[in-house]
Amino acid sequence: MKVEGLAETQKALQSLSGKLGWKAMSMALGRSGRKMRAAARKNAPVGTVAHRTYRGNLVAPGFTKKSVVLVRFPRKNNNTALVAIGVKKAAFYAVQFVEQGHKTRSGTRVAARPWLKTSYDQTVNAVPGAFTKELNAMVLKATK
């Protein structure tokens, strides 16, 4: 996959001071992941009845949908950054048991219903272009 304009943006980013460059990259990375987070929220399973989390809290249907988050991980030692889409800790079961499937106590297998991977597949091609566009806009704004 070829991303247009990334080389020019990288050169401009390197000319900025270190902290400003990291801030621009981190913000662009977060903004480019918003489409994937929106797709994950759209595809998240919604139950029909209220249930209790592993901590005993009663939650309404749609708790997983509200728990989808985007997290950024900057790694300054090797000049890379990562973005992850997942769920908050209280809703881990949506990934552990629904996304991947599981065995019941009787030994029968409950089939996986992948919703997070589906969201990734739907939006993976749009993220690099959105990242370049956002980063270019941030760098141009900072250099003015």
Side-chain angles (χ1 to χ4, degrees):
M1 158 179 359
K2 178 139 174 71
V3 179
E4 299 289 326
L6 189 57
E8 297 84 17
T9 305
Q10 283 178 331
K11 287 178 187 175
L13 184 63
Q14 289 173 351
S15 68
L16 297 174
S17 67
K19 194 170 188 176
L20 182 61
W22 273 105
K23 182 178 178 184
M25 186 170 77
S26 181
M27 288 179 69
L29 191 59
R31 288 181 182 175
S32 65
R34 287 179 182 172
K35 287 183 182 182
M36 195 175 291
R37 182 183 62 191
R41 283 184 177 158
K42 181 181 149 219
N43 294 335
V46 177
T48 56
V49 294
H51 64 280
R52 295 200 180 272
T53 65
Y54 72 101
R55 290 197 169 179
N57 298 329
L58 186 64
V59 294
F63 180 69
T64 300
K65 195 176 281 271
K66 294 175 189 168
S67 298
V68 174
V69 293
L70 178 140
V71 181
R72 295 171 289 188
F73 300 100
R75 300 184 187 259
K76 295 183 180 183
N77 57 347
N78 61 357
N79 293 331
T80 59
L82 305 170
V83 66
I85 309 294
V87 294
K88 294 178 183 175
K89 186 177 179 180
F92 79 94
Y93 57 86
V95 177
Q96 183 68 34
F97 301 119
V98 179
E99 177 83 13
Q100 299 174 357
H102 64 280
K103 281 187 179 179
T104 62
R105 290 182 181 170
S106 64
T108 59
R109 180 92 180 134
V110 175
R113 293 179 291 161
W115 57 275
L116 203 53
K117 184 172 180 342
T118 304
S119 304
Y120 172 80
D121 292 339
Q122 290 171 350
T123 58
V124 70
N125 293 328
V127 172
F131 174 73
T132 303
K133 181 181 172 186
E134 291 292 336
L135 184 60
N136 195 16
M138 297 270 181
V139 169
L140 287 175
K141 183 178 177 182
T143 56
K144 287 183 180 179

mmCIF file of all heavy atoms in Angstrom, residues 37-80:
data_model
loop_
_atom_site.group_PDB
_atom_site.id
_atom_site.type_symbol
_atom_site.label_atom_id
_atom_site.label_comp_id
_atom_site.label_asym_id
_atom_site.label_seq_id
_atom_site.Cartn_x
_atom_site.Cartn_y
_atom_site.Cartn_z
ATOM 1 N N ARG A 37 -12.429 3.097 15.544
ATOM 2 C CA ARG A 37 -13.164 3.059 16.809
ATOM 3 C C ARG A 37 -14.670 3.177 16.555
ATOM 4 O O ARG A 37 -15.471 2.478 17.174
ATOM 5 C CB ARG A 37 -12.704 4.178 17.729
ATOM 6 C CG ARG A 37 -13.399 4.149 19.082
ATOM 7 C CD ARG A 37 -12.990 5.291 19.960
ATOM 8 N NE ARG A 37 -13.375 6.545 19.335
ATOM 9 C CZ ARG A 37 -12.977 7.736 19.743
ATOM 10 N NH1 ARG A 37 -12.164 7.845 20.756
ATOM 11 N NH2 ARG A 37 -13.379 8.820 19.126
ATOM 12 N N ALA A 38 -15.054 4.045 15.626
ATOM 13 C CA ALA A 38 -16.477 4.204 15.302
ATOM 14 C C ALA A 38 -17.048 2.911 14.713
ATOM 15 O O ALA A 38 -18.173 2.510 15.051
ATOM 16 C CB ALA A 38 -16.669 5.365 14.335
ATOM 17 N N ALA A 39 -16.279 2.252 13.856
ATOM 18 C CA ALA A 39 -16.730 0.986 13.277
ATOM 19 C C ALA A 39 -16.850 -0.083 14.362
ATOM 20 O O ALA A 39 -17.786 -0.889 14.349
ATOM 21 C CB ALA A 39 -15.772 0.533 12.182
ATOM 22 N N ALA A 40 -15.916 -0.099 15.316
ATOM 23 C CA ALA A 40 -15.979 -1.071 16.404
ATOM 24 C C ALA A 40 -17.207 -0.826 17.274
ATOM 25 O O ALA A 40 -17.874 -1.774 17.692
ATOM 26 C CB ALA A 40 -14.710 -1.004 17.243
ATOM 27 N N ARG A 41 -17.507 0.431 17.539
ATOM 28 C CA ARG A 41 -18.712 0.738 18.333
ATOM 29 C C ARG A 41 -19.975 0.320 17.588
ATOM 30 O O ARG A 41 -20.924 -0.165 18.189
ATOM 31 C CB ARG A 41 -18.767 2.227 18.662
ATOM 32 C CG ARG A 41 -17.824 2.600 19.771
ATOM 33 C CD ARG A 41 -17.954 4.048 20.165
ATOM 34 N NE ARG A 41 -17.058 4.333 21.284
ATOM 35 C CZ ARG A 41 -16.629 5.527 21.595
ATOM 36 N NH1 ARG A 41 -17.030 6.574 20.897
ATOM 37 N NH2 ARG A 41 -15.818 5.702 22.606
ATOM 38 N N LYS A 42 -19.965 0.519 16.285
ATOM 39 C CA LYS A 42 -21.127 0.157 15.477
ATOM 40 C C LYS A 42 -21.328 -1.364 15.464
ATOM 41 O O LYS A 42 -22.456 -1.853 15.538
ATOM 42 C CB LYS A 42 -20.940 0.671 14.049
ATOM 43 C CG LYS A 42 -22.078 0.374 13.122
ATOM 44 C CD LYS A 42 -21.783 0.909 11.732
ATOM 45 C CE LYS A 42 -22.459 0.011 10.739
ATOM 46 N NZ LYS A 42 -21.701 -0.232 9.569
ATOM 47 N N ASN A 43 -20.233 -2.122 15.389
ATOM 48 C CA ASN A 43 -20.308 -3.574 15.284
ATOM 49 C C ASN A 43 -20.352 -4.291 16.627
ATOM 50 O O ASN A 43 -20.524 -5.505 16.671
ATOM 51 C CB ASN A 43 -19.107 -4.107 14.491
ATOM 52 C CG ASN A 43 -19.135 -3.661 13.052
ATOM 53 O OD1 ASN A 43 -20.181 -3.361 12.502
ATOM 54 N ND2 ASN A 43 -17.969 -3.600 12.442
ATOM 55 N N ALA A 44 -20.185 -3.567 17.726
ATOM 56 C CA ALA A 44 -20.145 -4.199 19.050
ATOM 57 C C ALA A 44 -21.465 -4.897 19.359
ATOM 58 O O ALA A 44 -22.531 -4.397 19.023
ATOM 59 C CB ALA A 44 -19.843 -3.153 20.117
ATOM 60 N N PRO A 45 -21.379 -6.062 20.002
ATOM 61 C CA PRO A 45 -22.619 -6.780 20.325
ATOM 62 C C PRO A 45 -23.413 -6.055 21.410
ATOM 63 O O PRO A 45 -22.843 -5.470 22.329
ATOM 64 C CB PRO A 45 -22.104 -8.128 20.844
ATOM 65 C CG PRO A 45 -20.726 -7.866 21.313
ATOM 66 C CD PRO A 45 -20.189 -6.769 20.452
ATOM 67 N N VAL A 46 -24.719 -6.107 21.281
ATOM 68 C CA VAL A 46 -25.610 -5.495 22.262
ATOM 69 C C VAL A 46 -26.574 -6.568 22.739
ATOM 70 O O VAL A 46 -27.268 -7.190 21.941
ATOM 71 C CB VAL A 46 -26.402 -4.309 21.651
ATOM 72 C CG1 VAL A 46 -27.365 -3.727 22.664
ATOM 73 C CG2 VAL A 46 -25.452 -3.255 21.132
ATOM 74 N N GLY A 47 -26.573 -6.793 24.042
ATOM 75 C CA GLY A 47 -27.473 -7.788 24.617
ATOM 76 C C GLY A 47 -28.900 -7.270 24.694
ATOM 77 O O GLY A 47 -29.206 -6.144 24.290
ATOM 78 N N THR A 48 -29.755 -8.089 25.269
ATOM 79 C CA THR A 48 -31.164 -7.692 25.389
ATOM 80 C C THR A 48 -31.580 -7.463 26.836
ATOM 81 O O THR A 48 -32.620 -6.869 27.088
ATOM 82 C CB THR A 48 -32.078 -8.769 24.782
ATOM 83 O OG1 THR A 48 -31.788 -10.021 25.419
ATOM 84 C CG2 THR A 48 -31.850 -8.882 23.281
ATOM 85 N N VAL A 49 -30.767 -7.952 27.772
ATOM 86 C CA VAL A 49 -31.100 -7.783 29.191
ATOM 87 C C VAL A 49 -29.878 -7.252 29.943
ATOM 88 O O VAL A 49 -28.747 -7.427 29.506
ATOM 89 C CB VAL A 49 -31.554 -9.116 29.834
ATOM 90 C CG1 VAL A 49 -32.853 -9.592 29.232
ATOM 91 C CG2 VAL A 49 -30.488 -10.175 29.716
ATOM 92 N N ALA A 50 -30.146 -6.617 31.069
ATOM 93 C CA ALA A 50 -29.050 -6.136 31.915
ATOM 94 C C ALA A 50 -28.303 -7.336 32.486
ATOM 95 O O ALA A 50 -28.870 -8.418 32.668
ATOM 96 C CB ALA A 50 -29.606 -5.276 33.031
ATOM 97 N N HIS A 51 -27.016 -7.166 32.749
ATOM 98 C CA HIS A 51 -26.214 -8.256 33.313
ATOM 99 C C HIS A 51 -25.172 -7.676 34.270
ATOM 100 O O HIS A 51 -24.976 -6.473 34.332
ATOM 101 C CB HIS A 51 -25.540 -9.059 32.203
ATOM 102 C CG HIS A 51 -24.547 -8.271 31.407
ATOM 103 N ND1 HIS A 51 -24.916 -7.414 30.392
ATOM 104 C CD2 HIS A 51 -23.196 -8.181 31.497
ATOM 105 C CE1 HIS A 51 -23.838 -6.846 29.893
ATOM 106 N NE2 HIS A 51 -22.773 -7.286 30.540
ATOM 107 N N ARG A 52 -24.506 -8.541 34.968
ATOM 108 C CA ARG A 52 -23.487 -8.115 35.923
ATOM 109 C C ARG A 52 -22.100 -8.372 35.346
ATOM 110 O O ARG A 52 -21.868 -9.385 34.701
ATOM 111 C CB ARG A 52 -23.639 -8.845 37.248
ATOM 112 C CG ARG A 52 -24.940 -8.490 37.936
ATOM 113 C CD ARG A 52 -24.893 -8.794 39.415
ATOM 114 N NE ARG A 52 -26.158 -8.430 40.036
ATOM 115 C CZ ARG A 52 -26.433 -7.231 40.514
ATOM 116 N NH1 ARG A 52 -25.536 -6.275 40.455
ATOM 117 N NH2 ARG A 52 -27.599 -6.975 41.064
ATOM 118 N N THR A 53 -21.186 -7.425 35.603
ATOM 119 C CA THR A 53 -19.802 -7.594 35.176
ATOM 120 C C THR A 53 -19.095 -8.522 36.161
ATOM 121 O O THR A 53 -19.672 -8.930 37.159
ATOM 122 C CB THR A 53 -19.058 -6.246 35.125
ATOM 123 O OG1 THR A 53 -18.980 -5.728 36.458
ATOM 124 C CG2 THR A 53 -19.759 -5.265 34.207
ATOM 125 N N TYR A 54 -17.847 -8.825 35.902
ATOM 126 C CA TYR A 54 -17.106 -9.715 36.795
ATOM 127 C C TYR A 54 -16.920 -9.114 38.189
ATOM 128 O O TYR A 54 -16.637 -9.822 39.141
ATOM 129 C CB TYR A 54 -15.747 -10.086 36.189
ATOM 130 C CG TYR A 54 -14.727 -8.971 36.186
ATOM 131 C CD1 TYR A 54 -13.718 -8.928 37.142
ATOM 132 C CD2 TYR A 54 -14.756 -7.963 35.226
ATOM 133 C CE1 TYR A 54 -12.776 -7.913 37.144
ATOM 134 C CE2 TYR A 54 -13.815 -6.954 35.221
ATOM 135 C CZ TYR A 54 -12.830 -6.935 36.183
ATOM 136 O OH TYR A 54 -11.893 -5.938 36.179
ATOM 137 N N ARG A 55 -17.094 -7.814 38.314
ATOM 138 C CA ARG A 55 -17.000 -7.168 39.627
ATOM 139 C C ARG A 55 -18.352 -7.042 40.321
ATOM 140 O O ARG A 55 -18.447 -6.490 41.405
ATOM 141 C CB ARG A 55 -16.390 -5.786 39.486
ATOM 142 C CG ARG A 55 -14.939 -5.850 39.124
ATOM 143 C CD ARG A 55 -14.285 -4.559 39.377
ATOM 144 N NE ARG A 55 -12.854 -4.717 39.273
ATOM 145 C CZ ARG A 55 -12.008 -3.755 39.429
ATOM 146 N NH1 ARG A 55 -12.438 -2.550 39.700
ATOM 147 N NH2 ARG A 55 -10.720 -3.973 39.321
ATOM 148 N N GLY A 56 -19.408 -7.517 39.683
ATOM 149 C CA GLY A 56 -20.724 -7.489 40.288
ATOM 150 C C GLY A 56 -21.544 -6.257 39.981
ATOM 151 O O GLY A 56 -22.647 -6.102 40.504
ATOM 152 N N ASN A 57 -21.035 -5.362 39.134
ATOM 153 C CA ASN A 57 -21.792 -4.156 38.785
ATOM 154 C C ASN A 57 -22.869 -4.496 37.754
ATOM 155 O O ASN A 57 -22.593 -5.172 36.761
ATOM 156 C CB ASN A 57 -20.865 -3.097 38.197
ATOM 157 C CG ASN A 57 -19.810 -2.662 39.184
ATOM 158 O OD1 ASN A 57 -20.039 -2.666 40.386
ATOM 159 N ND2 ASN A 57 -18.652 -2.288 38.676
ATOM 160 N N LEU A 58 -24.061 -4.007 37.970
ATOM 161 C CA LEU A 58 -25.153 -4.217 37.034
ATOM 162 C C LEU A 58 -25.032 -3.207 35.902
ATOM 163 O O LEU A 58 -24.958 -2.002 36.138
ATOM 164 C CB LEU A 58 -26.504 -4.059 37.745
ATOM 165 C CG LEU A 58 -27.739 -4.384 36.910
ATOM 166 C CD1 LEU A 58 -27.744 -5.863 36.526
ATOM 167 C CD2 LEU A 58 -29.000 -4.038 37.681
ATOM 168 N N VAL A 59 -25.000 -3.705 34.667
ATOM 169 C CA VAL A 59 -24.856 -2.823 33.512
ATOM 170 C C VAL A 59 -25.983 -3.082 32.521
ATOM 171 O O VAL A 59 -26.508 -4.185 32.428
ATOM 172 C CB VAL A 59 -23.480 -2.999 32.817
ATOM 173 C CG1 VAL A 59 -22.365 -2.549 33.736
ATOM 174 C CG2 VAL A 59 -23.260 -4.426 32.376
ATOM 175 N N ALA A 60 -26.338 -2.047 31.791
ATOM 176 C CA ALA A 60 -27.430 -2.116 30.825
ATOM 177 C C ALA A 60 -26.951 -2.707 29.508
ATOM 178 O O ALA A 60 -25.748 -2.733 29.227
ATOM 179 C CB ALA A 60 -27.987 -0.716 30.590
ATOM 180 N N PRO A 61 -27.880 -3.167 28.672
ATOM 181 C CA PRO A 61 -27.484 -3.599 27.330
ATOM 182 C C PRO A 61 -26.792 -2.446 26.600
ATOM 183 O O PRO A 61 -27.165 -1.286 26.744
ATOM 184 C CB PRO A 61 -28.818 -3.934 26.658
ATOM 185 C CG PRO A 61 -29.731 -4.267 27.790
ATOM 186 C CD PRO A 61 -29.301 -3.376 28.923
ATOM 187 N N GLY A 62 -25.757 -2.753 25.858
ATOM 188 C CA GLY A 62 -24.994 -1.723 25.170
ATOM 189 C C GLY A 62 -23.751 -1.293 25.932
ATOM 190 O O GLY A 62 -23.050 -0.374 25.517
ATOM 191 N N PHE A 63 -23.453 -1.957 27.044
ATOM 192 C CA PHE A 63 -22.284 -1.617 27.843
ATOM 193 C C PHE A 63 -20.996 -1.792 27.047
ATOM 194 O O PHE A 63 -20.082 -0.968 27.130
ATOM 195 C CB PHE A 63 -22.255 -2.489 29.109
ATOM 196 C CG PHE A 63 -21.080 -2.224 30.000
ATOM 197 C CD1 PHE A 63 -20.974 -1.034 30.690
ATOM 198 C CD2 PHE A 63 -20.081 -3.174 30.154
ATOM 199 C CE1 PHE A 63 -19.894 -0.783 31.519
ATOM 200 C CE2 PHE A 63 -18.999 -2.938 30.974
ATOM 201 C CZ PHE A 63 -18.904 -1.745 31.660
ATOM 202 N N THR A 64 -20.923 -2.829 26.247
ATOM 203 C CA THR A 64 -19.724 -3.055 25.423
ATOM 204 C C THR A 64 -19.544 -1.923 24.429
ATOM 205 O O THR A 64 -18.437 -1.416 24.237
ATOM 206 C CB THR A 64 -19.830 -4.391 24.673
ATOM 207 O OG1 THR A 64 -19.954 -5.437 25.630
ATOM 208 C CG2 THR A 64 -18.615 -4.638 23.807
ATOM 209 N N LYS A 65 -20.622 -1.513 23.805
ATOM 210 C CA LYS A 65 -20.567 -0.433 22.815
ATOM 211 C C LYS A 65 -20.010 0.847 23.436
ATOM 212 O O LYS A 65 -19.209 1.555 22.825
ATOM 213 C CB LYS A 65 -21.978 -0.203 22.275
ATOM 214 C CG LYS A 65 -22.067 0.597 21.016
ATOM 215 C CD LYS A 65 -23.490 0.682 20.530
ATOM 216 C CE LYS A 65 -23.948 -0.531 19.820
ATOM 217 N NZ LYS A 65 -23.708 -0.562 18.400
ATOM 218 N N LYS A 66 -20.389 1.128 24.669
ATOM 219 C CA LYS A 66 -19.905 2.322 25.362
ATOM 220 C C LYS A 66 -18.473 2.156 25.862
ATOM 221 O O LYS A 66 -17.809 3.134 26.173
ATOM 222 C CB LYS A 66 -20.819 2.637 26.548
ATOM 223 C CG LYS A 66 -22.210 3.039 26.139
ATOM 224 C CD LYS A 66 -23.096 3.206 27.348
ATOM 225 C CE LYS A 66 -24.536 3.387 26.932
ATOM 226 N NZ LYS A 66 -25.455 3.277 28.054
ATOM 227 N N SER A 67 -18.009 0.912 25.960
ATOM 228 C CA SER A 67 -16.684 0.639 26.509
ATOM 229 C C SER A 67 -15.573 0.580 25.469
ATOM 230 O O SER A 67 -14.417 0.364 25.827
ATOM 231 C CB SER A 67 -16.712 -0.688 27.274
ATOM 232 O OG SER A 67 -17.609 -0.600 28.355
ATOM 233 N N VAL A 68 -15.890 0.737 24.197
ATOM 234 C CA VAL A 68 -14.862 0.694 23.150
ATOM 235 C C VAL A 68 -14.000 1.951 23.247
ATOM 236 O O VAL A 68 -14.520 3.065 23.302
ATOM 237 C CB VAL A 68 -15.500 0.578 21.743
ATOM 238 C CG1 VAL A 68 -14.455 0.670 20.660
ATOM 239 C CG2 VAL A 68 -16.272 -0.724 21.626
ATOM 240 N N VAL A 69 -12.679 1.765 23.308
ATOM 241 C CA VAL A 69 -11.751 2.876 23.468
ATOM 242 C C VAL A 69 -10.611 2.787 22.463
ATOM 243 O O VAL A 69 -10.317 1.733 21.917
ATOM 244 C CB VAL A 69 -11.161 2.937 24.897
ATOM 245 C CG1 VAL A 69 -12.222 3.276 25.909
ATOM 246 C CG2 VAL A 69 -10.465 1.649 25.259
ATOM 247 N N LEU A 70 -9.972 3.927 22.272
ATOM 248 C CA LEU A 70 -8.774 4.042 21.444
ATOM 249 C C LEU A 70 -7.643 4.470 22.368
ATOM 250 O O LEU A 70 -7.796 5.426 23.121
ATOM 251 C CB LEU A 70 -9.006 5.092 20.360
ATOM 252 C CG LEU A 70 -7.849 5.381 19.432
ATOM 253 C CD1 LEU A 70 -8.390 5.568 18.026
ATOM 254 C CD2 LEU A 70 -7.091 6.607 19.843
ATOM 255 N N VAL A 71 -6.531 3.739 22.331
ATOM 256 C CA VAL A 71 -5.394 4.039 23.202
ATOM 257 C C VAL A 71 -4.156 4.211 22.336
ATOM 258 O O VAL A 71 -3.915 3.431 21.414
ATOM 259 C CB VAL A 71 -5.169 2.895 24.219
ATOM 260 C CG1 VAL A 71 -4.015 3.227 25.140
ATOM 261 C CG2 VAL A 71 -6.425 2.622 25.008
ATOM 262 N N ARG A 72 -3.370 5.253 22.640
ATOM 263 C CA ARG A 72 -2.116 5.514 21.909
ATOM 264 C C ARG A 72 -0.928 5.136 22.786
ATOM 265 O O ARG A 72 -0.936 5.408 23.983
ATOM 266 C CB ARG A 72 -2.017 6.980 21.527
ATOM 267 C CG ARG A 72 -3.086 7.394 20.537
ATOM 268 C CD ARG A 72 -3.090 8.871 20.371
ATOM 269 N NE ARG A 72 -3.625 9.455 21.609
ATOM 270 C CZ ARG A 72 -3.914 10.719 21.758
ATOM 271 N NH1 ARG A 72 -3.702 11.562 20.795
ATOM 272 N NH2 ARG A 72 -4.403 11.177 22.887
ATOM 273 N N PHE A 73 0.076 4.532 22.157
ATOM 274 C CA PHE A 73 1.291 4.136 22.860
ATOM 275 C C PHE A 73 2.496 4.726 22.140
ATOM 276 O O PHE A 73 3.009 4.130 21.201
ATOM 277 C CB PHE A 73 1.448 2.613 22.884
ATOM 278 C CG PHE A 73 0.324 1.892 23.562
ATOM 279 C CD1 PHE A 73 -0.684 1.305 22.820
ATOM 280 C CD2 PHE A 73 0.281 1.795 24.939
ATOM 281 C CE1 PHE A 73 -1.711 0.629 23.431
ATOM 282 C CE2 PHE A 73 -0.749 1.123 25.567
ATOM 283 C CZ PHE A 73 -1.752 0.539 24.817
ATOM 284 N N PRO A 74 2.986 5.900 22.549
ATOM 285 C CA PRO A 74 4.198 6.426 21.916
ATOM 286 C C PRO A 74 5.428 5.714 22.477
ATOM 287 O O PRO A 74 5.519 5.479 23.673
ATOM 288 C CB PRO A 74 4.193 7.900 22.295
ATOM 289 C CG PRO A 74 3.409 7.953 23.551
ATOM 290 C CD PRO A 74 2.410 6.835 23.497
ATOM 291 N N ARG A 75 6.352 5.366 21.603
ATOM 292 C CA ARG A 75 7.601 4.732 22.022
ATOM 293 C C ARG A 75 8.739 5.614 21.529
ATOM 294 O O ARG A 75 9.183 5.491 20.396
ATOM 295 C CB ARG A 75 7.701 3.331 21.461
ATOM 296 C CG ARG A 75 6.549 2.471 21.939
ATOM 297 C CD ARG A 75 6.691 1.055 21.472
ATOM 298 N NE ARG A 75 5.498 0.311 21.795
ATOM 299 C CZ ARG A 75 5.391 -0.506 22.830
ATOM 300 N NH1 ARG A 75 6.391 -0.675 23.638
ATOM 301 N NH2 ARG A 75 4.275 -1.140 23.044
ATOM 302 N N LYS A 76 9.154 6.513 22.397
ATOM 303 C CA LYS A 76 10.121 7.528 22.005
ATOM 304 C C LYS A 76 11.521 6.969 21.790
ATOM 305 O O LYS A 76 12.315 7.564 21.078
ATOM 306 C CB LYS A 76 10.154 8.647 23.032
ATOM 307 C CG LYS A 76 8.846 9.404 23.076
ATOM 308 C CD LYS A 76 8.892 10.545 24.038
ATOM 309 C CE LYS A 76 7.542 11.255 24.034
ATOM 310 N NZ LYS A 76 7.521 12.411 24.877
ATOM 311 N N ASN A 77 11.823 5.817 22.374
ATOM 312 C CA ASN A 77 13.173 5.296 22.233
ATOM 313 C C ASN A 77 13.475 4.812 20.806
ATOM 314 O O ASN A 77 14.618 4.831 20.388
ATOM 315 C CB ASN A 77 13.430 4.175 23.239
ATOM 316 C CG ASN A 77 12.442 3.033 23.115
ATOM 317 O OD1 ASN A 77 11.421 3.142 22.454
ATOM 318 N ND2 ASN A 77 12.728 1.935 23.781
ATOM 319 N N ASN A 78 12.484 4.370 20.067
ATOM 320 C CA ASN A 78 12.740 3.966 18.686
ATOM 321 C C ASN A 78 11.853 4.705 17.681
ATOM 322 O O ASN A 78 11.630 4.236 16.570
ATOM 323 C CB ASN A 78 12.600 2.451 18.522
ATOM 324 C CG ASN A 78 11.212 1.957 18.852
ATOM 325 O OD1 ASN A 78 10.344 2.713 19.258
ATOM 326 N ND2 ASN A 78 10.994 0.672 18.670
ATOM 327 N N ASN A 79 11.339 5.861 18.079
ATOM 328 C CA ASN A 79 10.572 6.747 17.200
ATOM 329 C C ASN A 79 9.393 6.065 16.522
ATOM 330 O O ASN A 79 9.161 6.245 15.331
ATOM 331 C CB ASN A 79 11.480 7.382 16.143
ATOM 332 C CG ASN A 79 12.469 8.333 16.764
ATOM 333 O OD1 ASN A 79 12.197 8.924 17.797
ATOM 334 N ND2 ASN A 79 13.619 8.473 16.147
ATOM 335 N N THR A 80 8.656 5.279 17.257
ATOM 336 C CA THR A 80 7.449 4.666 16.718
ATOM 337 C C THR A 80 6.286 4.965 17.662
ATOM 338 O O THR A 80 6.494 5.341 18.817
ATOM 339 C CB THR A 80 7.586 3.135 16.576
ATOM 340 O OG1 THR A 80 7.861 2.581 17.858
ATOM 341 C CG2 THR A 80 8.664 2.761 15.597
#
